PDB file of all heavy atoms in Angstrom:
ATOM      1  N   ALA A   1      25.764   9.317 -60.884  1.00  0.00           N
ATOM      2  CA  ALA A   1      26.345   9.670 -62.188  1.00  0.00           C
ATOM      3  C   ALA A   1      25.361   9.323 -63.217  1.00  0.00           C
ATOM      4  O   ALA A   1      25.022  10.093 -64.308  1.00  0.00           O
ATOM      5  CB  ALA A   1      27.627   9.040 -62.357  1.00  0.00           C
ATOM      6  N   GLU A   2      24.744   8.112 -63.122  1.00  0.00           N
ATOM      7  CA  GLU A   2      23.782   7.650 -64.027  1.00  0.00           C
ATOM      8  C   GLU A   2      22.624   8.569 -64.117  1.00  0.00           C
ATOM      9  O   GLU A   2      22.032   8.939 -65.209  1.00  0.00           O
ATOM     10  CB  GLU A   2      23.364   6.271 -63.798  1.00  0.00           C
ATOM     11  CG  GLU A   2      24.382   5.160 -63.927  1.00  0.00           C
ATOM     12  CD  GLU A   2      24.088   3.850 -63.408  1.00  0.00           C
ATOM     13  OE1 GLU A   2      22.913   3.550 -62.904  1.00  0.00           O
ATOM     14  OE2 GLU A   2      25.007   2.909 -63.644  1.00  0.00           O
ATOM     15  N   ALA A   3      22.110   9.048 -62.937  1.00  0.00           N
ATOM     16  CA  ALA A   3      20.933   9.861 -62.884  1.00  0.00           C
ATOM     17  C   ALA A   3      21.233  11.256 -63.506  1.00  0.00           C
ATOM     18  O   ALA A   3      20.461  11.814 -64.264  1.00  0.00           O
ATOM     19  CB  ALA A   3      20.506  10.075 -61.483  1.00  0.00           C
ATOM     20  N   ALA A   4      22.389  11.727 -63.334  1.00  0.00           N
ATOM     21  CA  ALA A   4      22.815  13.090 -63.775  1.00  0.00           C
ATOM     22  C   ALA A   4      23.011  12.954 -65.264  1.00  0.00           C
ATOM     23  O   ALA A   4      22.576  13.911 -66.077  1.00  0.00           O
ATOM     24  CB  ALA A   4      24.178  13.499 -63.138  1.00  0.00           C
ATOM     25  N   ALA A   5      23.475  11.822 -65.829  1.00  0.00           N
ATOM     26  CA  ALA A   5      23.708  11.672 -67.335  1.00  0.00           C
ATOM     27  C   ALA A   5      22.172  11.511 -68.008  1.00  0.00           C
ATOM     28  O   ALA A   5      21.951  12.105 -68.956  1.00  0.00           O
ATOM     29  CB  ALA A   5      24.443  10.406 -67.659  1.00  0.00           C
ATOM     30  N   ARG A   6      21.369  10.854 -67.259  1.00  0.00           N
ATOM     31  CA  ARG A   6      19.996  10.742 -67.765  1.00  0.00           C
ATOM     32  C   ARG A   6      19.276  12.056 -67.863  1.00  0.00           C
ATOM     33  O   ARG A   6      18.657  12.485 -68.765  1.00  0.00           O
ATOM     34  CB  ARG A   6      19.150   9.795 -66.868  1.00  0.00           C
ATOM     35  CG  ARG A   6      17.913   9.294 -67.399  1.00  0.00           C
ATOM     36  CD  ARG A   6      17.209   8.230 -66.436  1.00  0.00           C
ATOM     37  NE  ARG A   6      17.841   6.968 -66.457  1.00  0.00           N
ATOM     38  CZ  ARG A   6      18.640   6.497 -65.269  1.00  0.00           C
ATOM     39  NH1 ARG A   6      18.736   7.171 -64.327  1.00  0.00           N
ATOM     40  NH2 ARG A   6      19.206   5.383 -65.486  1.00  0.00           N
ATOM     41  N   ASP A   7      19.507  12.874 -66.720  1.00  0.00           N
ATOM     42  CA  ASP A   7      18.997  14.261 -66.725  1.00  0.00           C
ATOM     43  C   ASP A   7      19.477  15.134 -67.753  1.00  0.00           C
ATOM     44  O   ASP A   7      18.848  16.036 -68.318  1.00  0.00           O
ATOM     45  CB  ASP A   7      19.218  14.926 -65.390  1.00  0.00           C
ATOM     46  CG  ASP A   7      18.389  14.204 -64.189  1.00  0.00           C
ATOM     47  OD1 ASP A   7      17.438  13.393 -64.562  1.00  0.00           O
ATOM     48  OD2 ASP A   7      18.621  14.580 -63.096  1.00  0.00           O
ATOM     49  N   ALA A   8      20.719  14.792 -68.255  1.00  0.00           N
ATOM     50  CA  ALA A   8      21.422  15.510 -69.270  1.00  0.00           C
ATOM     51  C   ALA A   8      21.058  15.049 -70.722  1.00  0.00           C
ATOM     52  O   ALA A   8      21.545  15.502 -71.761  1.00  0.00           O
ATOM     53  CB  ALA A   8      22.903  15.494 -69.066  1.00  0.00           C
ATOM     54  N   GLY A   9      20.089  14.110 -70.752  1.00  0.00           N
ATOM     55  CA  GLY A   9      19.665  13.549 -72.046  1.00  0.00           C
ATOM     56  C   GLY A   9      20.569  12.486 -72.687  1.00  0.00           C
ATOM     57  O   GLY A   9      20.363  12.099 -73.831  1.00  0.00           O
ATOM     58  N   LYS A  10      21.454  11.984 -71.903  1.00  0.00           N
ATOM     59  CA  LYS A  10      22.255  10.904 -72.431  1.00  0.00           C
ATOM     60  C   LYS A  10      21.638   9.452 -72.156  1.00  0.00           C
ATOM     61  O   LYS A  10      20.832   9.274 -71.266  1.00  0.00           O
ATOM     62  CB  LYS A  10      23.608  10.890 -71.565  1.00  0.00           C
ATOM     63  CG  LYS A  10      24.422  12.150 -71.677  1.00  0.00           C
ATOM     64  CD  LYS A  10      24.738  12.565 -73.077  1.00  0.00           C
ATOM     65  CE  LYS A  10      25.435  13.779 -73.130  1.00  0.00           C
ATOM     66  NZ  LYS A  10      25.872  14.310 -74.448  1.00  0.00           N
ATOM     67  N   THR A  11      21.826   8.595 -73.179  1.00  0.00           N
ATOM     68  CA  THR A  11      21.196   7.321 -73.224  1.00  0.00           C
ATOM     69  C   THR A  11      22.177   6.107 -73.170  1.00  0.00           C
ATOM     70  O   THR A  11      21.895   5.050 -73.099  1.00  0.00           O
ATOM     71  CB  THR A  11      20.308   7.074 -74.411  1.00  0.00           C
ATOM     72  OG1 THR A  11      21.060   7.297 -75.629  1.00  0.00           O
ATOM     73  CG2 THR A  11      19.146   8.038 -74.458  1.00  0.00           C
ATOM     74  N   LEU A  12      23.547   6.458 -73.263  1.00  0.00           N
ATOM     75  CA  LEU A  12      24.461   5.500 -73.270  1.00  0.00           C
ATOM     76  C   LEU A  12      25.756   6.076 -72.478  1.00  0.00           C
ATOM     77  O   LEU A  12      26.154   7.087 -72.735  1.00  0.00           O
ATOM     78  CB  LEU A  12      24.971   5.123 -74.669  1.00  0.00           C
ATOM     79  CG  LEU A  12      26.140   4.077 -74.800  1.00  0.00           C
ATOM     80  CD1 LEU A  12      25.582   2.761 -74.278  1.00  0.00           C
ATOM     81  CD2 LEU A  12      26.618   4.031 -76.179  1.00  0.00           C
ATOM     82  N   LEU A  13      26.282   5.248 -71.508  1.00  0.00           N
ATOM     83  CA  LEU A  13      27.485   5.522 -70.710  1.00  0.00           C
ATOM     84  C   LEU A  13      28.598   4.569 -71.070  1.00  0.00           C
ATOM     85  O   LEU A  13      28.249   3.403 -71.173  1.00  0.00           O
ATOM     86  CB  LEU A  13      27.013   5.643 -69.316  1.00  0.00           C
ATOM     87  CG  LEU A  13      26.051   6.553 -68.757  1.00  0.00           C
ATOM     88  CD1 LEU A  13      25.787   6.494 -67.304  1.00  0.00           C
ATOM     89  CD2 LEU A  13      26.544   7.979 -69.097  1.00  0.00           C
ATOM     90  N   VAL A  14      29.700   5.018 -70.967  1.00  0.00           N
ATOM     91  CA  VAL A  14      30.864   4.182 -71.101  1.00  0.00           C
ATOM     92  C   VAL A  14      31.920   4.514 -69.998  1.00  0.00           C
ATOM     93  O   VAL A  14      31.988   5.696 -69.551  1.00  0.00           O
ATOM     94  CB  VAL A  14      31.608   4.159 -72.441  1.00  0.00           C
ATOM     95  CG1 VAL A  14      30.577   3.600 -73.576  1.00  0.00           C
ATOM     96  CG2 VAL A  14      32.019   5.548 -72.874  1.00  0.00           C
ATOM     97  N   LEU A  15      32.697   3.546 -69.638  1.00  0.00           N
ATOM     98  CA  LEU A  15      33.729   3.701 -68.703  1.00  0.00           C
ATOM     99  C   LEU A  15      34.839   2.714 -68.868  1.00  0.00           C
ATOM    100  O   LEU A  15      34.664   1.670 -69.518  1.00  0.00           O
ATOM    101  CB  LEU A  15      33.301   3.786 -67.232  1.00  0.00           C
ATOM    102  CG  LEU A  15      32.567   2.568 -66.627  1.00  0.00           C
ATOM    103  CD1 LEU A  15      33.588   1.458 -66.216  1.00  0.00           C
ATOM    104  CD2 LEU A  15      31.790   2.884 -65.461  1.00  0.00           C
ATOM    105  N   ASP A  16      35.979   2.845 -68.253  1.00  0.00           N
ATOM    106  CA  ASP A  16      37.012   1.940 -68.242  1.00  0.00           C
ATOM    107  C   ASP A  16      37.643   1.792 -66.734  1.00  0.00           C
ATOM    108  O   ASP A  16      37.599   2.773 -66.039  1.00  0.00           O
ATOM    109  CB  ASP A  16      38.151   2.108 -69.212  1.00  0.00           C
ATOM    110  CG  ASP A  16      38.895   3.319 -69.006  1.00  0.00           C
ATOM    111  OD1 ASP A  16      39.829   3.362 -68.126  1.00  0.00           O
ATOM    112  OD2 ASP A  16      38.528   4.486 -69.563  1.00  0.00           O
ATOM    113  N   THR A  17      38.069   0.689 -66.430  1.00  0.00           N
ATOM    114  CA  THR A  17      38.712   0.507 -65.054  1.00  0.00           C
ATOM    115  C   THR A  17      39.871  -0.526 -65.281  1.00  0.00           C
ATOM    116  O   THR A  17      39.722  -1.600 -65.989  1.00  0.00           O
ATOM    117  CB  THR A  17      37.702   0.098 -64.081  1.00  0.00           C
ATOM    118  OG1 THR A  17      38.345  -0.009 -62.791  1.00  0.00           O
ATOM    119  CG2 THR A  17      37.082  -1.218 -64.445  1.00  0.00           C
ATOM    120  N   ALA A  18      40.861  -0.336 -64.372  1.00  0.00           N
ATOM    121  CA  ALA A  18      41.879  -1.421 -64.186  1.00  0.00           C
ATOM    122  C   ALA A  18      41.753  -2.081 -62.910  1.00  0.00           C
ATOM    123  O   ALA A  18      42.724  -2.903 -62.495  1.00  0.00           O
ATOM    124  CB  ALA A  18      43.223  -0.667 -64.365  1.00  0.00           C
ATOM    125  N   ASP A  19      40.763  -1.693 -62.102  1.00  0.00           N
ATOM    126  CA  ASP A  19      40.611  -2.313 -60.795  1.00  0.00           C
ATOM    127  C   ASP A  19      39.593  -3.353 -60.742  1.00  0.00           C
ATOM    128  O   ASP A  19      38.400  -3.253 -61.093  1.00  0.00           O
ATOM    129  CB  ASP A  19      40.176  -1.178 -59.754  1.00  0.00           C
ATOM    130  CG  ASP A  19      40.100  -1.599 -58.394  1.00  0.00           C
ATOM    131  OD1 ASP A  19      41.128  -1.606 -57.735  1.00  0.00           O
ATOM    132  OD2 ASP A  19      38.975  -1.947 -57.946  1.00  0.00           O
ATOM    133  N   ASP A  20      39.938  -4.615 -60.271  1.00  0.00           N
ATOM    134  CA  ASP A  20      39.018  -5.682 -60.210  1.00  0.00           C
ATOM    135  C   ASP A  20      37.821  -5.447 -59.260  1.00  0.00           C
ATOM    136  O   ASP A  20      36.662  -5.861 -59.633  1.00  0.00           O
ATOM    137  CB  ASP A  20      39.645  -6.984 -59.755  1.00  0.00           C
ATOM    138  CG  ASP A  20      40.682  -7.423 -60.783  1.00  0.00           C
ATOM    139  OD1 ASP A  20      40.556  -7.146 -62.000  1.00  0.00           O
ATOM    140  OD2 ASP A  20      41.630  -8.240 -60.485  1.00  0.00           O
ATOM    141  N   GLY A  21      38.042  -4.713 -58.184  1.00  0.00           N
ATOM    142  CA  GLY A  21      36.979  -4.388 -57.286  1.00  0.00           C
ATOM    143  C   GLY A  21      35.915  -3.444 -57.917  1.00  0.00           C
ATOM    144  O   GLY A  21      34.709  -3.702 -57.834  1.00  0.00           O
ATOM    145  N   ALA A  22      36.380  -2.434 -58.700  1.00  0.00           N
ATOM    146  CA  ALA A  22      35.506  -1.573 -59.377  1.00  0.00           C
ATOM    147  C   ALA A  22      34.737  -2.322 -60.398  1.00  0.00           C
ATOM    148  O   ALA A  22      33.652  -2.146 -60.681  1.00  0.00           O
ATOM    149  CB  ALA A  22      36.272  -0.440 -59.965  1.00  0.00           C
ATOM    150  N   ALA A  23      35.475  -3.311 -61.134  1.00  0.00           N
ATOM    151  CA  ALA A  23      34.783  -3.972 -62.215  1.00  0.00           C
ATOM    152  C   ALA A  23      33.642  -4.877 -61.541  1.00  0.00           C
ATOM    153  O   ALA A  23      32.580  -4.910 -62.185  1.00  0.00           O
ATOM    154  CB  ALA A  23      35.865  -4.913 -62.711  1.00  0.00           C
ATOM    155  N   ARG A  24      33.867  -5.435 -60.419  1.00  0.00           N
ATOM    156  CA  ARG A  24      32.659  -6.230 -59.741  1.00  0.00           C
ATOM    157  C   ARG A  24      31.548  -5.261 -59.348  1.00  0.00           C
ATOM    158  O   ARG A  24      30.429  -5.679 -59.499  1.00  0.00           O
ATOM    159  CB  ARG A  24      33.284  -6.918 -58.558  1.00  0.00           C
ATOM    160  CG  ARG A  24      34.094  -8.132 -58.845  1.00  0.00           C
ATOM    161  CD  ARG A  24      34.418  -8.982 -57.595  1.00  0.00           C
ATOM    162  NE  ARG A  24      35.179  -8.243 -56.663  1.00  0.00           N
ATOM    163  CZ  ARG A  24      36.586  -8.158 -56.702  1.00  0.00           C
ATOM    164  NH1 ARG A  24      37.270  -8.742 -57.608  1.00  0.00           N
ATOM    165  NH2 ARG A  24      37.195  -7.441 -55.745  1.00  0.00           N
ATOM    166  N   LEU A  25      31.890  -4.046 -58.954  1.00  0.00           N
ATOM    167  CA  LEU A  25      30.832  -3.085 -58.621  1.00  0.00           C
ATOM    168  C   LEU A  25      29.983  -2.705 -59.804  1.00  0.00           C
ATOM    169  O   LEU A  25      28.759  -2.738 -59.872  1.00  0.00           O
ATOM    170  CB  LEU A  25      31.519  -1.849 -58.013  1.00  0.00           C
ATOM    171  CG  LEU A  25      30.615  -0.736 -57.935  1.00  0.00           C
ATOM    172  CD1 LEU A  25      29.472  -0.853 -56.866  1.00  0.00           C
ATOM    173  CD2 LEU A  25      31.345   0.703 -57.551  1.00  0.00           C
ATOM    174  N   TYR A  26      30.742  -2.402 -60.978  1.00  0.00           N
ATOM    175  CA  TYR A  26      30.038  -2.056 -62.236  1.00  0.00           C
ATOM    176  C   TYR A  26      29.074  -3.102 -62.724  1.00  0.00           C
ATOM    177  O   TYR A  26      27.983  -2.920 -63.073  1.00  0.00           O
ATOM    178  CB  TYR A  26      31.003  -1.558 -63.279  1.00  0.00           C
ATOM    179  CG  TYR A  26      31.915  -0.468 -62.813  1.00  0.00           C
ATOM    180  CD1 TYR A  26      33.277  -0.451 -63.114  1.00  0.00           C
ATOM    181  CD2 TYR A  26      31.321   0.661 -62.102  1.00  0.00           C
ATOM    182  CE1 TYR A  26      34.089   0.600 -62.784  1.00  0.00           C
ATOM    183  CE2 TYR A  26      32.149   1.764 -61.728  1.00  0.00           C
ATOM    184  CZ  TYR A  26      33.505   1.715 -62.025  1.00  0.00           C
ATOM    185  OH  TYR A  26      34.230   2.691 -61.678  1.00  0.00           O
ATOM    186  N   GLU A  27      29.539  -4.375 -62.589  1.00  0.00           N
ATOM    187  CA  GLU A  27      28.816  -5.479 -63.116  1.00  0.00           C
ATOM    188  C   GLU A  27      27.550  -5.649 -62.054  1.00  0.00           C
ATOM    189  O   GLU A  27      26.413  -6.025 -62.574  1.00  0.00           O
ATOM    190  CB  GLU A  27      29.725  -6.778 -63.140  1.00  0.00           C
ATOM    191  CG  GLU A  27      30.606  -6.688 -64.316  1.00  0.00           C
ATOM    192  CD  GLU A  27      31.723  -7.894 -64.392  1.00  0.00           C
ATOM    193  OE1 GLU A  27      31.448  -8.826 -63.668  1.00  0.00           O
ATOM    194  OE2 GLU A  27      32.642  -7.575 -65.234  1.00  0.00           O
ATOM    195  N   ARG A  28      27.803  -5.585 -60.808  1.00  0.00           N
ATOM    196  CA  ARG A  28      26.757  -5.609 -59.821  1.00  0.00           C
ATOM    197  C   ARG A  28      25.663  -4.588 -60.181  1.00  0.00           C
ATOM    198  O   ARG A  28      24.460  -4.871 -59.971  1.00  0.00           O
ATOM    199  CB  ARG A  28      27.253  -5.479 -58.434  1.00  0.00           C
ATOM    200  CG  ARG A  28      26.321  -5.986 -57.390  1.00  0.00           C
ATOM    201  CD  ARG A  28      26.971  -6.121 -55.955  1.00  0.00           C
ATOM    202  NE  ARG A  28      27.775  -4.989 -55.615  1.00  0.00           N
ATOM    203  CZ  ARG A  28      28.990  -4.839 -55.468  1.00  0.00           C
ATOM    204  NH1 ARG A  28      29.865  -5.914 -55.778  1.00  0.00           N
ATOM    205  NH2 ARG A  28      29.650  -3.778 -55.010  1.00  0.00           N
ATOM    206  N   LEU A  29      26.068  -3.444 -60.608  1.00  0.00           N
ATOM    207  CA  LEU A  29      25.082  -2.323 -60.904  1.00  0.00           C
ATOM    208  C   LEU A  29      24.382  -2.494 -62.308  1.00  0.00           C
ATOM    209  O   LEU A  29      23.815  -1.444 -62.669  1.00  0.00           O
ATOM    210  CB  LEU A  29      25.706  -0.972 -60.692  1.00  0.00           C
ATOM    211  CG  LEU A  29      26.166  -0.680 -59.245  1.00  0.00           C
ATOM    212  CD1 LEU A  29      27.004   0.589 -59.259  1.00  0.00           C
ATOM    213  CD2 LEU A  29      24.950  -0.631 -58.368  1.00  0.00           C
ATOM    214  N   GLY A  30      24.871  -3.458 -63.046  1.00  0.00           N
ATOM    215  CA  GLY A  30      24.187  -3.645 -64.309  1.00  0.00           C
ATOM    216  C   GLY A  30      24.906  -3.177 -65.555  1.00  0.00           C
ATOM    217  O   GLY A  30      24.425  -3.224 -66.581  1.00  0.00           O
ATOM    218  N   TRP A  31      26.237  -2.840 -65.386  1.00  0.00           N
ATOM    219  CA  TRP A  31      27.117  -2.608 -66.479  1.00  0.00           C
ATOM    220  C   TRP A  31      27.480  -3.791 -67.215  1.00  0.00           C
ATOM    221  O   TRP A  31      27.586  -4.808 -66.683  1.00  0.00           O
ATOM    222  CB  TRP A  31      28.250  -1.739 -66.080  1.00  0.00           C
ATOM    223  CG  TRP A  31      27.897  -0.428 -65.623  1.00  0.00           C
ATOM    224  CD1 TRP A  31      27.195   0.014 -64.466  1.00  0.00           C
ATOM    225  CD2 TRP A  31      28.197   0.877 -66.221  1.00  0.00           C
ATOM    226  NE1 TRP A  31      27.155   1.363 -64.392  1.00  0.00           N
ATOM    227  CE2 TRP A  31      27.780   1.940 -65.421  1.00  0.00           C
ATOM    228  CE3 TRP A  31      28.977   1.223 -67.336  1.00  0.00           C
ATOM    229  CZ2 TRP A  31      27.904   3.252 -65.797  1.00  0.00           C
ATOM    230  CZ3 TRP A  31      29.130   2.538 -67.659  1.00  0.00           C
ATOM    231  CH2 TRP A  31      28.543   3.581 -66.981  1.00  0.00           C
ATOM    232  N   THR A  32      27.732  -3.530 -68.574  1.00  0.00           N
ATOM    233  CA  THR A  32      28.129  -4.690 -69.486  1.00  0.00           C
ATOM    234  C   THR A  32      29.612  -4.589 -69.756  1.00  0.00           C
ATOM    235  O   THR A  32      29.987  -3.497 -70.302  1.00  0.00           O
ATOM    236  CB  THR A  32      27.238  -4.768 -70.619  1.00  0.00           C
ATOM    237  OG1 THR A  32      25.807  -4.847 -70.360  1.00  0.00           O
ATOM    238  CG2 THR A  32      27.598  -5.996 -71.586  1.00  0.00           C
ATOM    239  N   LEU A  33      30.397  -5.675 -69.629  1.00  0.00           N
ATOM    240  CA  LEU A  33      31.708  -5.670 -70.014  1.00  0.00           C
ATOM    241  C   LEU A  33      31.755  -5.690 -71.607  1.00  0.00           C
ATOM    242  O   LEU A  33      31.274  -6.608 -72.178  1.00  0.00           O
ATOM    243  CB  LEU A  33      32.356  -6.910 -69.477  1.00  0.00           C
ATOM    244  CG  LEU A  33      33.909  -7.141 -69.879  1.00  0.00           C
ATOM    245  CD1 LEU A  33      34.747  -5.963 -69.422  1.00  0.00           C
ATOM    246  CD2 LEU A  33      34.395  -8.464 -69.265  1.00  0.00           C
ATOM    247  N   ALA A  34      32.421  -4.801 -72.157  1.00  0.00           N
ATOM    248  CA  ALA A  34      32.606  -4.717 -73.724  1.00  0.00           C
ATOM    249  C   ALA A  34      33.877  -5.379 -74.096  1.00  0.00           C
ATOM    250  O   ALA A  34      33.983  -5.971 -75.147  1.00  0.00           O
ATOM    251  CB  ALA A  34      32.623  -3.265 -74.213  1.00  0.00           C
ATOM    252  N   GLY A  35      34.918  -5.474 -73.273  1.00  0.00           N
ATOM    253  CA  GLY A  35      36.211  -6.004 -73.616  1.00  0.00           C
ATOM    254  C   GLY A  35      37.285  -5.601 -72.637  1.00  0.00           C
ATOM    255  O   GLY A  35      37.138  -4.736 -71.878  1.00  0.00           O
ATOM    256  N   VAL A  36      38.437  -6.441 -72.823  1.00  0.00           N
ATOM    257  CA  VAL A  36      39.626  -6.105 -71.886  1.00  0.00           C
ATOM    258  C   VAL A  36      40.711  -5.931 -72.814  1.00  0.00           C
ATOM    259  O   VAL A  36      41.038  -6.805 -73.707  1.00  0.00           O
ATOM    260  CB  VAL A  36      39.730  -7.287 -70.936  1.00  0.00           C
ATOM    261  CG1 VAL A  36      40.987  -7.088 -70.120  1.00  0.00           C
ATOM    262  CG2 VAL A  36      38.569  -7.518 -70.030  1.00  0.00           C
ATOM    263  N   VAL A  37      41.533  -4.861 -72.566  1.00  0.00           N
ATOM    264  CA  VAL A  37      42.742  -4.639 -73.340  1.00  0.00           C
ATOM    265  C   VAL A  37      43.932  -4.960 -72.420  1.00  0.00           C
ATOM    266  O   VAL A  37      44.067  -4.227 -71.450  1.00  0.00           O
ATOM    267  CB  VAL A  37      42.856  -3.179 -73.866  1.00  0.00           C
ATOM    268  CG1 VAL A  37      44.110  -2.963 -74.626  1.00  0.00           C
ATOM    269  CG2 VAL A  37      41.597  -2.845 -74.663  1.00  0.00           C
ATOM    270  N   PRO A  38      44.812  -5.870 -72.823  1.00  0.00           N
ATOM    271  CA  PRO A  38      46.022  -6.093 -71.926  1.00  0.00           C
ATOM    272  C   PRO A  38      47.015  -4.958 -72.095  1.00  0.00           C
ATOM    273  O   PRO A  38      46.995  -4.234 -73.193  1.00  0.00           O
ATOM    274  CB  PRO A  38      46.478  -7.390 -72.428  1.00  0.00           C
ATOM    275  CG  PRO A  38      45.995  -7.394 -73.906  1.00  0.00           C
ATOM    276  CD  PRO A  38      44.815  -6.769 -73.935  1.00  0.00           C
ATOM    277  N   ASP A  39      47.854  -4.752 -70.979  1.00  0.00           N
ATOM    278  CA  ASP A  39      48.919  -3.790 -71.152  1.00  0.00           C
ATOM    279  C   ASP A  39      48.505  -2.444 -71.603  1.00  0.00           C
ATOM    280  O   ASP A  39      49.234  -1.693 -72.291  1.00  0.00           O
ATOM    281  CB  ASP A  39      50.006  -4.341 -72.048  1.00  0.00           C
ATOM    282  CG  ASP A  39      50.590  -5.682 -71.625  1.00  0.00           C
ATOM    283  OD1 ASP A  39      50.475  -5.960 -70.396  1.00  0.00           O
ATOM    284  OD2 ASP A  39      51.292  -6.423 -72.433  1.00  0.00           O
ATOM    285  N   TYR A  40      47.307  -1.930 -71.146  1.00  0.00           N
ATOM    286  CA  TYR A  40      46.757  -0.737 -71.517  1.00  0.00           C
ATOM    287  C   TYR A  40      47.487   0.520 -70.968  1.00  0.00           C
ATOM    288  O   TYR A  40      47.592   1.468 -71.662  1.00  0.00           O
ATOM    289  CB  TYR A  40      45.231  -0.663 -71.196  1.00  0.00           C
ATOM    290  CG  TYR A  40      44.453   0.408 -71.801  1.00  0.00           C
ATOM    291  CD1 TYR A  40      44.168   0.499 -73.089  1.00  0.00           C
ATOM    292  CD2 TYR A  40      44.271   1.523 -71.034  1.00  0.00           C
ATOM    293  CE1 TYR A  40      43.365   1.627 -73.698  1.00  0.00           C
ATOM    294  CE2 TYR A  40      43.431   2.665 -71.486  1.00  0.00           C
ATOM    295  CZ  TYR A  40      43.124   2.572 -72.823  1.00  0.00           C
ATOM    296  OH  TYR A  40      42.387   3.758 -73.370  1.00  0.00           O
ATOM    297  N   ALA A  41      47.811   0.319 -69.632  1.00  0.00           N
ATOM    298  CA  ALA A  41      48.367   1.574 -68.912  1.00  0.00           C
ATOM    299  C   ALA A  41      49.285   1.087 -67.917  1.00  0.00           C
ATOM    300  O   ALA A  41      49.456  -0.131 -67.670  1.00  0.00           O
ATOM    301  CB  ALA A  41      47.241   2.362 -68.235  1.00  0.00           C
ATOM    302  N   LEU A  42      49.985   2.076 -67.290  1.00  0.00           N
ATOM    303  CA  LEU A  42      51.089   1.679 -66.242  1.00  0.00           C
ATOM    304  C   LEU A  42      50.254   1.902 -64.905  1.00  0.00           C
ATOM    305  O   LEU A  42      49.462   2.780 -64.692  1.00  0.00           O
ATOM    306  CB  LEU A  42      52.177   2.733 -66.344  1.00  0.00           C
ATOM    307  CG  LEU A  42      53.117   2.543 -67.432  1.00  0.00           C
ATOM    308  CD1 LEU A  42      54.136   3.629 -67.420  1.00  0.00           C
ATOM    309  CD2 LEU A  42      53.878   1.150 -67.309  1.00  0.00           C
ATOM    310  N   LEU A  43      50.668   1.029 -63.960  1.00  0.00           N
ATOM    311  CA  LEU A  43      50.213   1.239 -62.679  1.00  0.00           C
ATOM    312  C   LEU A  43      51.118   2.431 -61.908  1.00  0.00           C
ATOM    313  O   LEU A  43      52.138   2.724 -62.604  1.00  0.00           O
ATOM    314  CB  LEU A  43      50.532  -0.072 -61.804  1.00  0.00           C
ATOM    315  CG  LEU A  43      49.539  -1.270 -62.198  1.00  0.00           C
ATOM    316  CD1 LEU A  43      50.178  -2.535 -61.660  1.00  0.00           C
ATOM    317  CD2 LEU A  43      48.197  -1.066 -61.720  1.00  0.00           C
ATOM    318  N   PRO A  44      50.582   3.091 -60.980  1.00  0.00           N
ATOM    319  CA  PRO A  44      51.219   4.191 -60.441  1.00  0.00           C
ATOM    320  C   PRO A  44      52.654   4.047 -60.087  1.00  0.00           C
ATOM    321  O   PRO A  44      53.426   4.916 -60.164  1.00  0.00           O
ATOM    322  CB  PRO A  44      50.434   4.647 -59.286  1.00  0.00           C
ATOM    323  CG  PRO A  44      49.025   3.991 -59.496  1.00  0.00           C
ATOM    324  CD  PRO A  44      49.366   2.778 -60.255  1.00  0.00           C
ATOM    325  N   ARG A  45      53.053   2.737 -59.642  1.00  0.00           N
ATOM    326  CA  ARG A  45      54.506   2.534 -59.304  1.00  0.00           C
ATOM    327  C   ARG A  45      55.157   1.721 -60.389  1.00  0.00           C
ATOM    328  O   ARG A  45      56.298   1.166 -60.102  1.00  0.00           O
ATOM    329  CB  ARG A  45      54.358   1.760 -57.952  1.00  0.00           C
ATOM    330  CG  ARG A  45      53.917   2.622 -56.795  1.00  0.00           C
ATOM    331  CD  ARG A  45      53.781   1.847 -55.589  1.00  0.00           C
ATOM    332  NE  ARG A  45      53.059   2.507 -54.427  1.00  0.00           N
ATOM    333  CZ  ARG A  45      53.428   3.325 -53.592  1.00  0.00           C
ATOM    334  NH1 ARG A  45      54.723   3.655 -53.379  1.00  0.00           N
ATOM    335  NH2 ARG A  45      52.570   3.920 -52.759  1.00  0.00           N
ATOM    336  N   GLY A  46      54.571   1.759 -61.567  1.00  0.00           N
ATOM    337  CA  GLY A  46      55.247   0.962 -62.573  1.00  0.00           C
ATOM    338  C   GLY A  46      54.628  -0.405 -62.900  1.00  0.00           C
ATOM    339  O   GLY A  46      53.942  -0.942 -62.019  1.00  0.00           O
ATOM    340  N   GLY A  47      54.880  -1.001 -64.049  1.00  0.00           N
ATOM    341  CA  GLY A  47      54.287  -2.210 -64.375  1.00  0.00           C
ATOM    342  C   GLY A  47      52.922  -1.988 -65.145  1.00  0.00           C
ATOM    343  O   GLY A  47      52.108  -1.121 -64.819  1.00  0.00           O
TER     344      GLY A  47
END
């Protein structure tokens, strides 16, 4: 995705995640945490 964005002329990417495993992956790949918003969305089974 980063390579495709670069090829499309993009220089900044953003994303969001509610998953701790995905967050660890993004950080391992060099992404920077901008912030955390509590109670942002519902989980699929509620909460």
Side-chain angles (χ1 to χ4, degrees):
E2 290 172 1
R6 196 176 288 110
D7 291 346
K10 302 301 181 177
T11 58
L12 179 68
L13 296 177
V14 296
L15 62 76
D16 65 85
T17 184
D19 184 83
D20 291 340
R24 285 189 298 275
L25 168 67
Y26 301 137
E27 290 173 13
R28 194 169 54 249
L29 294 175
W31 287 71
T32 302
L33 177 65
V36 178
V37 179
D39 300 340
Y40 186 80
L42 290 173
L43 292 166
R45 297 175 194 267

